[in-house]
């Protein structure tokens, strides 16, 4: 596997706060790596360090491109701080950004039209940024990050502030790019999106690594099972003495029974009491959301 | 290493072109360029317009009847034909009729011209009322016409008559001033005015450079830009771009000004052909003047670019920034003393202070012949401090641009400089 970006033991302090603490990870060609973490975990600090906007106190960041001469033009970047020249026109800005990345102008022109159409912005080309809605401007900024066909794409919270339809469009495009060999690194705390999108996950909390693996393995290793039962009775008490249960949550008609680690769903189903009325029952693994919340609260 | 430098320059040029486009290719700028001559015209036309509006009640048309016994009516009426609101009429009938006719008429008067006038040397203009307005010019022209008539009577030749009537022109000038050609005065002032205009424009460009740095921050463009170009490409691109945008503006104004001079002349000097004016600009001192203008520009726009990077907006500039922002105004304090005494102590001090050297030296070079050493030292000082300031600004620029929502105080900036 070709690794486009190595990050080794980077640390950063702001004053006395250690905001990033010995973080290491790699980003491979054609994969999507999600950097997850709660607010203030240090995601943006890591990303800004990669982009050389913040200088880490220690550690090493290395890009491995075939042509290392002009490496800035092989990176696409969507910063957390959203914005573009308010008084300039969409097409003008996009062409300017492509030009700064040394991308040929005629190709850029063509791709601008394609992407504007793809993101439902056909008529926005001549509009000024200040005339766009926030989400529209974010799409333009995203186009700016990918227009020049970068080898690696670094996105800080690309989905924040987008409606579900636009989120899907972004996800689809990111998947597309990865399929074509682009290495994608993005940060988020929106677990549903991460779960659908990432190949691998780097979870950071208080500046430290807490998880770093493929999505599948993380779910295998950390995701225990949970059983959701829809019932009109109050069935909570019936499970209280089960040694397999970790905790029980009740919300309206739905009771969620979290199984302890290592407990197989089959074992649990056999023990279901037969004197309760069940409308619906589902068994699934913990979602990334559960893992995230648990990891964060445990630490 | 070489490719990196090439990139810096190439990217700087791209940034510069974008800045020029942003400044020059927008409605506000184009409209202001087109509107400027209209506004100039208004400013120059308005006072006259006000005069006109204020006048009519005070200056109604006056009729003056001429009772002519010596035959000067024709030449007199020709002479006064350009006086506004004045009409002459010839009267040939009894004087009493005339007196009756104009009595009480505020807009009428008469003059009785007889041979007697040449003895008494007194001309009486009789008016209808005490308030009747007789333009002063009429009196002058009347005197002139009578003088001509009298000279002709004494058989003086026509050419001599003109000379005598024109009188004498007394001029006062010091002995050393050899040339009396007023064009020399123009020639002397064209280069400094030209250089001062450039300096003024670059001062304005410095401001727009600062504005541009601030707007990159405000519009949150900076991280995106720095993911494509280096901070120094960005800064120098801005400085150069805004300089050329200013130059374009200057060129347009200059064309307006030249057209103005070409068609209307310079007040007091009259018509001057444009090509002659241009030939004055190309003087041997020009390269030196341009050097001081340009170095001054680089010095100030480095300061302004660095300053812009530390501010959220111009209105909220801190005290420290405010003081630095006013540095160029220091030059203004020197202008009058230096013109008054280009070799004095103030002029010399001003030449050695980098922030004032540009203006002071531009003035001194055009006003007097400086010894070589008096030129070399300011050149070296200015060059060194410009280079130093550009480096300093480069350091502040990057860090400042990446600070969001924070104003930098002097202590903070000092920290960046030592990084
Ligand atoms: N310029 C700075 N100066 C001081 N502290 C900072 C600075 N930037 C970030 N921090 C601190 O570093 C920590 C991590 O911030 P960071 O922006 O990296 O978090 P994040 O994971 O991106 O959070 P979010 O999900 O809210 O974007 C925070 O505690 C923040 O206060
Ligand atoms: Mg963040």
């Amino acid at each position: 596997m070709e690794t486009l970006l190595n990050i080794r033991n980077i640390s950063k302090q702001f004053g006395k706060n250690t905001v990033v603490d010995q973080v290491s990870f790699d980003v491979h060609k054609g994969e999507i790596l999600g950097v997850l973490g709660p607010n203030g975990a240090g995601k943006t600090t890591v990303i800004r360090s990669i982009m050389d906007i913040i200088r880490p106190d220690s550690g090493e960041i290395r890009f491995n491109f075939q042509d290392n001469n002009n490496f800035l033009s092989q990176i696409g970047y969507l910063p957390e701080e959203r914005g573009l020249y308010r008084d300039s026109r969409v097409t003008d800005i996009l062409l300017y950004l492509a030009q700064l990345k040394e991308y040929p102008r005629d190709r850029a022109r063509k791709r601008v039209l394609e992407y504007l159409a793809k993101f439902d912005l056909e008529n926005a080309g001549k509009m000024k940024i200040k005339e766009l809605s926030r989400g529209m401007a974010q799409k333009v900024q995203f186009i700016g990050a990918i227009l020049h066909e970068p080898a690696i794409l670094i996105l800080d919270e690309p989905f924040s502030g987008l409606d579900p339809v636009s989120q899907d469009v972004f996800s689809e495009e990111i998947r597309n790019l990865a399929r074509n060999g682009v290495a994608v690194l993005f940060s988020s705390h929106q677990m549903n999106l991460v779960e659908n999108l990432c190949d691998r996950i780097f979870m950071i909390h208080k500046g430290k690594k807490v998880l770093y693996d493929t999505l599948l393995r993380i779910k295998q290793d950390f995701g225990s099972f949970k059983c959701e039962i829809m019932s009109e009775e109050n069935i909570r008490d019936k499970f209280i003495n089960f040694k397999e249960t970790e905790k029980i949550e009740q919300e309206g008609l739905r009771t969620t029974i979290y199984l302890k680690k290592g407990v197989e769903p089959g074992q649990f189903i056999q023990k279901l009491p037969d004197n309760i009325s069940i409308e619906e029952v589902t068994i699934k693994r913990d979602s990334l959301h559960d893992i995230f919340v648990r990891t964060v609260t445990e630490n | 290493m070489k490719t990196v430098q090439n990139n810096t320059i190439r990217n700087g040029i791209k940034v510069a072109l974008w800045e020029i486009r942003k400044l020059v290719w927008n409605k506000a700028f184009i409209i202001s360029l087109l509107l400027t001559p209209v506004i100039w015209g208004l400013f120059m036309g308005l006072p006259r317009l006000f005069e006109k509006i204020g006048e009519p009640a005070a200056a109604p048309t006056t009729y003056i009847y001429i009772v002519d016994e010596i035959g000067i009516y024709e030449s007199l009426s020709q002479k006064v034909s350009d006086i506004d609101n004045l009409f002459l009429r010839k009267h040939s009938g009894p004087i009493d009729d005339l007196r009756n006719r104009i009595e009480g008429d505020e807009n009428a008067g008469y003059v009785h011209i007889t041979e007697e006038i040449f003895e008494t040397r007194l001309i009486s203009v009789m008016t209808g009322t005490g308030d009747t307005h007789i333009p002063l010019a009429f009196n002058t022209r009347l005197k002139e016409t009578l003088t001509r008539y009298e000279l002709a009577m004494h058989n003086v030749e026509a050419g001599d008559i003109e000379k005598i009537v024109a009188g004498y022109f007394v001029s006062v000038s010091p002995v050393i001033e050899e040339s009396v050609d007023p064009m020399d005065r123009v020639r002397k002032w064209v280069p400094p005015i030209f250089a001062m205009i450039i300096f003024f424009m670059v001062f304005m460009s410095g401001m727009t450079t600062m504005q541009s740095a601030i707007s990159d921050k405000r519009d949150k463009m900076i991280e995106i830009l720095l993911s494509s170009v280096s901070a120094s490409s960005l800064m120098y691109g801005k400085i150069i771009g805004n300089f050329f945008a200013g130059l374009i503006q200057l060129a347009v104004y200059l064309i307006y000004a030249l057209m103005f001079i070409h068609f209307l002349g310079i007040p007091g000097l009259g018509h001057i052909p444009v090509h002659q004016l241009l030939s004055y600009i190309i003087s041997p001192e020009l390269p030196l003047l341009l050097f001081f203008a340009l170095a001054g520009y680089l010095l100030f726009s480095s300061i302004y670019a660095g300053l812009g990077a530390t501010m959220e907006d111009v209105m909220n500039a801190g005290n420290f920034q405010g003081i630095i922002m006013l540095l160029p105004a220091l030059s203004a304090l020197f202008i009058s003393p230096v013109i008054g005494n280009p070799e004095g102590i103030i002029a010399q001090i001003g030449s050695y202070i980098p922030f004032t050297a540009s203006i002071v030296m531009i003035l001194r070079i055009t006003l007097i012949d400086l010894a070589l050493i008096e030129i070399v030292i300011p050149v070296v000082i200015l060059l060194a401090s410009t280079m130093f300031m550009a480096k300093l600004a480069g350091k502040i620029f990057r860090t400042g641009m990446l600070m969001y929502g924070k104003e930098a105080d002097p202590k903070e900036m000092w920290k960046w400089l030592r990084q």
Side-chain angles (χ1 to χ4, degrees), chain A residues 12-15 17-20 35-48 54 80 156-157 187-189 204 206-207, chain B residues 402-404 406:
Chain A
K12 177 72 190 176
Q13 283 190 319
F14 284 118
N17 280 352
T18 304
V19 169
V20 175
V35 175
L36 303 189
N39 293 130
K43 304 181 293 292
T44 299
T45 307
V46 168
I47 287 177
R48 286 193 175 147
I54 288 176
E80 180 178 60
D156 200 347
E157 309 266 2
S187 76
S188 183
H189 41 234
I204 181 172
K206 293 185 178 156
Chain B
L402 289 169
M403 281 191 36
Y404 295 110
K406 255 211 247 175

Side-chain angles (χ1 to χ4, degrees), chain A residues 52 77 85 99 101-102, chain B residues 10 14 216 223 227 398:
Chain A
D52 195 30
Y77 177 43
Y85 287 121
Q99 187 193 22
K101 294 285 195 185
E102 313 270 329
Chain B
R10 209 171 53 237
K14 289 183 207 157
D216 273 14
E223 278 193 52
S227 75
R398 189 178 190 286

